[in-house]
mmCIF file of all heavy atoms in Angstrom:
data_model
loop_
_atom_site.group_PDB
_atom_site.id
_atom_site.type_symbol
_atom_site.label_atom_id
_atom_site.label_comp_id
_atom_site.label_asym_id
_atom_site.label_seq_id
_atom_site.Cartn_x
_atom_site.Cartn_y
_atom_site.Cartn_z
ATOM 1 N N TRP A 1 0.829 -1.209 0.000
ATOM 2 C CA TRP A 1 0.000 0.000 0.000
ATOM 3 C C TRP A 1 0.858 1.250 0.000
ATOM 4 O O TRP A 1 0.534 2.227 -0.639
ATOM 5 C CB TRP A 1 -0.975 0.002 1.179
ATOM 6 C CG TRP A 1 -0.299 0.139 2.509
ATOM 7 C CD1 TRP A 1 0.134 -0.862 3.317
ATOM 8 C CD2 TRP A 1 0.053 1.366 3.155
ATOM 9 N NE1 TRP A 1 0.742 -0.348 4.428
ATOM 10 C CE2 TRP A 1 0.702 1.025 4.356
ATOM 11 C CE3 TRP A 1 -0.105 2.708 2.841
ATOM 12 C CZ2 TRP A 1 1.185 1.979 5.238
ATOM 13 C CZ3 TRP A 1 0.378 3.650 3.732
ATOM 14 C CH2 TRP A 1 1.012 3.283 4.914
ATOM 15 N N TRP A 2 1.991 1.213 0.705
ATOM 16 C CA TRP A 2 2.837 2.396 0.807
ATOM 17 C C TRP A 2 3.548 2.705 -0.507
ATOM 18 O O TRP A 2 3.962 3.833 -0.740
ATOM 19 C CB TRP A 2 3.842 2.260 1.944
ATOM 20 C CG TRP A 2 4.614 0.975 1.920
ATOM 21 C CD1 TRP A 2 4.333 -0.182 2.575
ATOM 22 C CD2 TRP A 2 5.784 0.704 1.158
ATOM 23 N NE1 TRP A 2 5.237 -1.157 2.273
ATOM 24 C CE2 TRP A 2 6.151 -0.637 1.409
ATOM 25 C CE3 TRP A 2 6.563 1.450 0.285
ATOM 26 C CZ2 TRP A 2 7.262 -1.235 0.821
ATOM 27 C CZ3 TRP A 2 7.668 0.848 -0.298
ATOM 28 C CH2 TRP A 2 8.005 -0.475 -0.017
ATOM 29 N N SER A 3 3.673 1.704 -1.387
ATOM 30 C CA SER A 3 4.350 1.962 -2.657
ATOM 31 C C SER A 3 3.433 2.643 -3.673
ATOM 32 O O SER A 3 3.918 3.233 -4.638
ATOM 33 C CB SER A 3 4.911 0.670 -3.245
ATOM 34 O OG SER A 3 3.875 -0.164 -3.713
ATOM 35 N N VAL A 4 2.128 2.550 -3.465
ATOM 36 C CA VAL A 4 1.190 3.183 -4.388
ATOM 37 C C VAL A 4 0.411 4.334 -3.759
ATOM 38 O O VAL A 4 -0.256 5.080 -4.461
ATOM 39 C CB VAL A 4 0.206 2.149 -4.990
ATOM 40 C CG1 VAL A 4 0.954 1.151 -5.859
ATOM 41 C CG2 VAL A 4 -0.608 1.460 -3.929
ATOM 42 N N ALA A 5 0.503 4.500 -2.448
ATOM 43 C CA ALA A 5 -0.284 5.539 -1.766
ATOM 44 C C ALA A 5 0.115 6.948 -2.213
ATOM 45 O O ALA A 5 -0.747 7.757 -2.566
ATOM 46 C CB ALA A 5 -0.140 5.403 -0.248
ATOM 47 N N ALA A 6 1.400 7.240 -2.217
ATOM 48 C CA ALA A 6 1.848 8.588 -2.599
ATOM 49 C C ALA A 6 1.552 8.896 -4.067
ATOM 50 O O ALA A 6 0.987 9.959 -4.359
ATOM 51 C CB ALA A 6 3.334 8.767 -2.284
ATOM 52 N N PRO A 7 1.881 8.001 -5.017
ATOM 53 C CA PRO A 7 1.537 8.324 -6.403
ATOM 54 C C PRO A 7 0.029 8.437 -6.629
ATOM 55 O O PRO A 7 -0.425 9.262 -7.418
ATOM 56 C CB PRO A 7 2.127 7.188 -7.237
ATOM 57 C CG PRO A 7 2.813 6.270 -6.324
ATOM 58 C CD PRO A 7 2.681 6.782 -4.938
ATOM 59 N N LEU A 8 -0.750 7.642 -5.911
ATOM 60 C CA LEU A 8 -2.202 7.720 -6.050
ATOM 61 C C LEU A 8 -2.719 9.055 -5.519
ATOM 62 O O LEU A 8 -3.545 9.712 -6.159
ATOM 63 C CB LEU A 8 -2.872 6.558 -5.324
ATOM 64 C CG LEU A 8 -4.379 6.447 -5.452
ATOM 65 C CD1 LEU A 8 -4.802 6.322 -6.915
ATOM 66 C CD2 LEU A 8 -4.888 5.252 -4.664
ATOM 67 N N ALA A 9 -2.209 9.488 -4.369
ATOM 68 C CA ALA A 9 -2.622 10.780 -3.806
ATOM 69 C C ALA A 9 -2.237 11.927 -4.734
ATOM 70 O O ALA A 9 -3.038 12.836 -4.971
ATOM 71 C CB ALA A 9 -1.983 10.972 -2.427
ATOM 72 N N LEU A 10 -1.035 11.884 -5.289
ATOM 73 C CA LEU A 10 -0.604 12.939 -6.204
ATOM 74 C C LEU A 10 -1.427 12.924 -7.494
ATOM 75 O O LEU A 10 -1.755 13.988 -8.028
ATOM 76 C CB LEU A 10 0.883 12.795 -6.521
ATOM 77 C CG LEU A 10 1.822 13.115 -5.353
ATOM 78 C CD1 LEU A 10 3.249 12.747 -5.714
ATOM 79 C CD2 LEU A 10 1.718 14.560 -4.935
ATOM 80 N N ALA A 11 -1.775 11.754 -7.980
ATOM 81 C CA ALA A 11 -2.614 11.663 -9.185
ATOM 82 C C ALA A 11 -3.981 12.279 -8.931
ATOM 83 O O ALA A 11 -4.522 12.988 -9.792
ATOM 84 C CB ALA A 11 -2.759 10.198 -9.618
ATOM 85 N N LEU A 12 -4.529 12.054 -7.746
ATOM 86 C CA LEU A 12 -5.822 12.651 -7.411
ATOM 87 C C LEU A 12 -5.733 14.166 -7.324
ATOM 88 O O LEU A 12 -6.622 14.877 -7.785
ATOM 89 C CB LEU A 12 -6.354 12.061 -6.103
ATOM 90 C CG LEU A 12 -6.799 10.604 -6.183
ATOM 91 C CD1 LEU A 12 -7.148 10.065 -4.802
ATOM 92 C CD2 LEU A 12 -7.953 10.437 -7.138
ATOM 93 N N VAL A 13 -4.639 14.682 -6.758
ATOM 94 C CA VAL A 13 -4.444 16.128 -6.681
ATOM 95 C C VAL A 13 -4.347 16.726 -8.084
ATOM 96 O O VAL A 13 -4.968 17.752 -8.382
ATOM 97 C CB VAL A 13 -3.190 16.478 -5.843
ATOM 98 C CG1 VAL A 13 -2.809 17.938 -5.986
ATOM 99 C CG2 VAL A 13 -3.417 16.131 -4.383
ATOM 100 N N VAL A 14 -3.571 16.091 -8.959
ATOM 101 C CA VAL A 14 -3.430 16.573 -10.337
ATOM 102 C C VAL A 14 -4.783 16.569 -11.039
ATOM 103 O O VAL A 14 -5.142 17.523 -11.731
ATOM 104 C CB VAL A 14 -2.395 15.725 -11.116
ATOM 105 C CG1 VAL A 14 -2.447 16.001 -12.605
ATOM 106 C CG2 VAL A 14 -0.999 15.986 -10.573
ATOM 107 N N LEU A 15 -5.555 15.505 -10.842
ATOM 108 C CA LEU A 15 -6.878 15.423 -11.453
ATOM 109 C C LEU A 15 -7.792 16.528 -10.931
ATOM 110 O O LEU A 15 -8.453 17.216 -11.706
ATOM 111 C CB LEU A 15 -7.501 14.056 -11.190
ATOM 112 C CG LEU A 15 -8.909 13.844 -11.738
ATOM 113 C CD1 LEU A 15 -8.899 13.909 -13.260
ATOM 114 C CD2 LEU A 15 -9.479 12.528 -11.263
ATOM 115 N N LEU A 16 -7.805 16.722 -9.633
ATOM 116 C CA LEU A 16 -8.651 17.764 -9.044
ATOM 117 C C LEU A 16 -8.245 19.159 -9.516
ATOM 118 O O LEU A 16 -9.097 19.998 -9.815
ATOM 119 C CB LEU A 16 -8.619 17.681 -7.518
ATOM 120 C CG LEU A 16 -9.325 16.467 -6.915
ATOM 121 C CD1 LEU A 16 -9.076 16.400 -5.406
ATOM 122 C CD2 LEU A 16 -10.804 16.482 -7.224
ATOM 123 N N LEU A 17 -6.937 19.426 -9.588
ATOM 124 C CA LEU A 17 -6.479 20.739 -10.056
ATOM 125 C C LEU A 17 -6.768 20.944 -11.536
ATOM 126 O O LEU A 17 -6.941 22.072 -11.985
ATOM 127 C CB LEU A 17 -4.988 20.923 -9.767
ATOM 128 C CG LEU A 17 -4.618 21.093 -8.305
ATOM 129 C CD1 LEU A 17 -3.108 21.152 -8.143
ATOM 130 C CD2 LEU A 17 -5.273 22.323 -7.697
ATOM 131 N N GLY A 18 -6.829 19.853 -12.286
ATOM 132 C CA GLY A 18 -7.178 19.965 -13.695
ATOM 133 C C GLY A 18 -8.647 20.272 -13.911
ATOM 134 O O GLY A 18 -9.028 20.898 -14.883
ATOM 135 N N VAL A 19 -9.476 19.838 -12.977
ATOM 136 C CA VAL A 19 -10.912 20.041 -13.084
ATOM 137 C C VAL A 19 -11.340 21.365 -12.463
ATOM 138 O O VAL A 19 -12.168 22.083 -13.004
ATOM 139 C CB VAL A 19 -11.670 18.860 -12.416
ATOM 140 C CG1 VAL A 19 -13.158 19.128 -12.361
ATOM 141 C CG2 VAL A 19 -11.385 17.570 -13.158
ATOM 142 N N SER A 20 -10.755 21.699 -11.310
ATOM 143 C CA SER A 20 -11.168 22.910 -10.607
ATOM 144 C C SER A 20 -9.979 23.502 -9.857
ATOM 145 O O SER A 20 -9.381 22.835 -9.016
ATOM 146 C CB SER A 20 -12.289 22.578 -9.615
ATOM 147 O OG SER A 20 -12.608 23.699 -8.842
ATOM 148 N N LEU A 21 -9.664 24.722 -10.179
ATOM 149 C CA LEU A 21 -8.560 25.409 -9.525
ATOM 150 C C LEU A 21 -9.108 26.196 -8.336
ATOM 151 O O LEU A 21 -9.996 27.027 -8.509
ATOM 152 C CB LEU A 21 -7.893 26.357 -10.523
ATOM 153 C CG LEU A 21 -6.503 26.846 -10.208
ATOM 154 C CD1 LEU A 21 -5.530 25.698 -10.047
ATOM 155 C CD2 LEU A 21 -6.019 27.767 -11.314
ATOM 156 N N PRO A 22 -8.611 25.945 -7.115
ATOM 157 C CA PRO A 22 -9.100 26.678 -5.948
ATOM 158 C C PRO A 22 -8.863 28.184 -6.109
ATOM 159 O O PRO A 22 -7.856 28.606 -6.687
ATOM 160 C CB PRO A 22 -8.281 26.125 -4.787
ATOM 161 C CG PRO A 22 -7.719 24.836 -5.275
ATOM 162 C CD PRO A 22 -7.606 24.949 -6.759
ATOM 163 N N ALA A 23 -9.788 28.975 -5.608
ATOM 164 C CA ALA A 23 -9.736 30.431 -5.756
ATOM 165 C C ALA A 23 -8.408 31.037 -5.272
ATOM 166 O O ALA A 23 -7.832 31.865 -5.983
ATOM 167 C CB ALA A 23 -10.923 31.077 -5.043
ATOM 168 N N PRO A 24 -7.898 30.654 -4.085
ATOM 169 C CA PRO A 24 -6.621 31.246 -3.651
ATOM 170 C C PRO A 24 -5.470 30.953 -4.621
ATOM 171 O O PRO A 24 -4.647 31.821 -4.895
ATOM 172 C CB PRO A 24 -6.355 30.609 -2.289
ATOM 173 C CG PRO A 24 -7.686 30.152 -1.811
ATOM 174 C CD PRO A 24 -8.466 29.799 -3.038
ATOM 175 N N LEU A 25 -5.434 29.743 -5.147
ATOM 176 C CA LEU A 25 -4.381 29.385 -6.095
ATOM 177 C C LEU A 25 -4.569 30.131 -7.411
ATOM 178 O O LEU A 25 -3.606 30.605 -8.009
ATOM 179 C CB LEU A 25 -4.365 27.877 -6.317
ATOM 180 C CG LEU A 25 -3.258 27.332 -7.202
ATOM 181 C CD1 LEU A 25 -1.883 27.730 -6.690
ATOM 182 C CD2 LEU A 25 -3.365 25.814 -7.294
ATOM 183 N N SER A 26 -5.798 30.274 -7.841
ATOM 184 C CA SER A 26 -6.098 31.020 -9.064
ATOM 185 C C SER A 26 -5.665 32.480 -8.923
ATOM 186 O O SER A 26 -5.074 33.051 -9.847
ATOM 187 C CB SER A 26 -7.591 30.934 -9.371
ATOM 188 O OG SER A 26 -7.884 31.623 -10.557
ATOM 189 N N ARG A 27 -5.954 33.091 -7.758
ATOM 190 C CA ARG A 27 -5.528 34.480 -7.516
ATOM 191 C C ARG A 27 -4.008 34.591 -7.539
ATOM 192 O O ARG A 27 -3.452 35.527 -8.107
ATOM 193 C CB ARG A 27 -6.070 34.983 -6.180
ATOM 194 C CG ARG A 27 -7.502 35.474 -6.245
ATOM 195 C CD ARG A 27 -7.891 36.258 -5.004
ATOM 196 N NE ARG A 27 -7.758 35.493 -3.762
ATOM 197 C CZ ARG A 27 -8.664 34.633 -3.302
ATOM 198 N NH1 ARG A 27 -9.771 34.428 -3.970
ATOM 199 N NH2 ARG A 27 -8.459 34.000 -2.169
ATOM 200 N N LEU A 28 -3.335 33.639 -6.911
ATOM 201 C CA LEU A 28 -1.874 33.650 -6.872
ATOM 202 C C LEU A 28 -1.291 33.558 -8.279
ATOM 203 O O LEU A 28 -0.363 34.298 -8.627
ATOM 204 C CB LEU A 28 -1.368 32.492 -6.007
ATOM 205 C CG LEU A 28 0.131 32.391 -5.798
ATOM 206 C CD1 LEU A 28 0.647 33.605 -5.036
ATOM 207 C CD2 LEU A 28 0.473 31.128 -5.040
ATOM 208 N N ILE A 29 -1.845 32.700 -9.108
ATOM 209 C CA ILE A 29 -1.371 32.561 -10.486
ATOM 210 C C ILE A 29 -1.636 33.842 -11.265
ATOM 211 O O ILE A 29 -0.790 34.304 -12.030
ATOM 212 C CB ILE A 29 -2.025 31.335 -11.158
ATOM 213 C CG1 ILE A 29 -1.491 30.058 -10.516
ATOM 214 C CG2 ILE A 29 -1.776 31.326 -12.662
ATOM 215 C CD1 ILE A 29 -2.219 28.795 -10.930
ATOM 216 N N SER A 30 -2.818 34.432 -11.063
ATOM 217 C CA SER A 30 -3.152 35.687 -11.753
ATOM 218 C C SER A 30 -2.200 36.804 -11.345
ATOM 219 O O SER A 30 -1.761 37.598 -12.186
ATOM 220 C CB SER A 30 -4.592 36.090 -11.453
ATOM 221 O OG SER A 30 -5.485 35.171 -12.026
ATOM 222 N N GLU A 31 -1.885 36.889 -10.057
ATOM 223 C CA GLU A 31 -0.944 37.911 -9.579
ATOM 224 C C GLU A 31 0.443 37.694 -10.165
ATOM 225 O O GLU A 31 1.112 38.653 -10.562
ATOM 226 C CB GLU A 31 -0.891 37.906 -8.055
ATOM 227 C CG GLU A 31 -2.155 38.425 -7.400
ATOM 228 C CD GLU A 31 -2.165 38.227 -5.889
ATOM 229 O OE1 GLU A 31 -1.090 37.920 -5.313
ATOM 230 O OE2 GLU A 31 -3.249 38.363 -5.293
ATOM 231 N N ALA A 32 0.878 36.452 -10.228
ATOM 232 C CA ALA A 32 2.196 36.152 -10.806
ATOM 233 C C ALA A 32 2.211 36.513 -12.288
ATOM 234 O O ALA A 32 3.184 37.090 -12.785
ATOM 235 C CB ALA A 32 2.534 34.674 -10.611
ATOM 236 N N ALA A 33 1.122 36.197 -13.001
ATOM 237 C CA ALA A 33 1.033 36.531 -14.423
ATOM 238 C C ALA A 33 1.056 38.049 -14.615
ATOM 239 O O ALA A 33 1.698 38.556 -15.535
ATOM 240 C CB ALA A 33 -0.228 35.937 -15.031
ATOM 241 N N ALA A 34 0.365 38.777 -13.739
ATOM 242 C CA ALA A 34 0.335 40.247 -13.837
ATOM 243 C C ALA A 34 1.737 40.817 -13.615
ATOM 244 O O ALA A 34 2.144 41.754 -14.286
ATOM 245 C CB ALA A 34 -0.640 40.826 -12.832
ATOM 246 N N GLN A 35 2.474 40.233 -12.677
ATOM 247 C CA GLN A 35 3.850 40.682 -12.424
ATOM 248 C C GLN A 35 4.747 40.454 -13.630
ATOM 249 O O GLN A 35 5.659 41.226 -13.880
ATOM 250 C CB GLN A 35 4.439 39.944 -11.210
ATOM 251 C CG GLN A 35 3.820 40.343 -9.894
ATOM 252 C CD GLN A 35 4.170 41.752 -9.501
ATOM 253 O OE1 GLN A 35 5.280 42.236 -9.739
ATOM 254 N NE2 GLN A 35 3.202 42.461 -8.927
ATOM 255 N N LEU A 36 4.445 39.424 -14.386
ATOM 256 C CA LEU A 36 5.225 39.112 -15.590
ATOM 257 C C LEU A 36 4.722 39.872 -16.815
ATOM 258 O O LEU A 36 5.304 39.771 -17.886
ATOM 259 C CB LEU A 36 5.192 37.609 -15.877
ATOM 260 C CG LEU A 36 5.886 36.731 -14.835
ATOM 261 C CD1 LEU A 36 5.598 35.262 -15.110
ATOM 262 C CD2 LEU A 36 7.392 36.985 -14.828
#
């Protein structure tokens, strides 16, 4: 279980971020883009 737990958790995070970006993270990305 320990050999697949971390990759499975990271895969779920990647999937969730691909479907819906949390507002604080979206603001942070927008601010970084504005700075650039």
Side-chain angles (χ1 to χ4, degrees):
W1 68 269
W2 50 266
S3 71
V4 295
L8 184 58
L10 290 172
L12 290 173
V13 168
V14 168
L15 178 64
L16 290 173
L17 290 175
V19 173
S20 174
L21 198 58
L25 184 56
S26 181
R27 278 194 301 278
L28 183 64
I29 291 170
S30 293
E31 290 172 13
Q35 290 291 324
L36 294 171

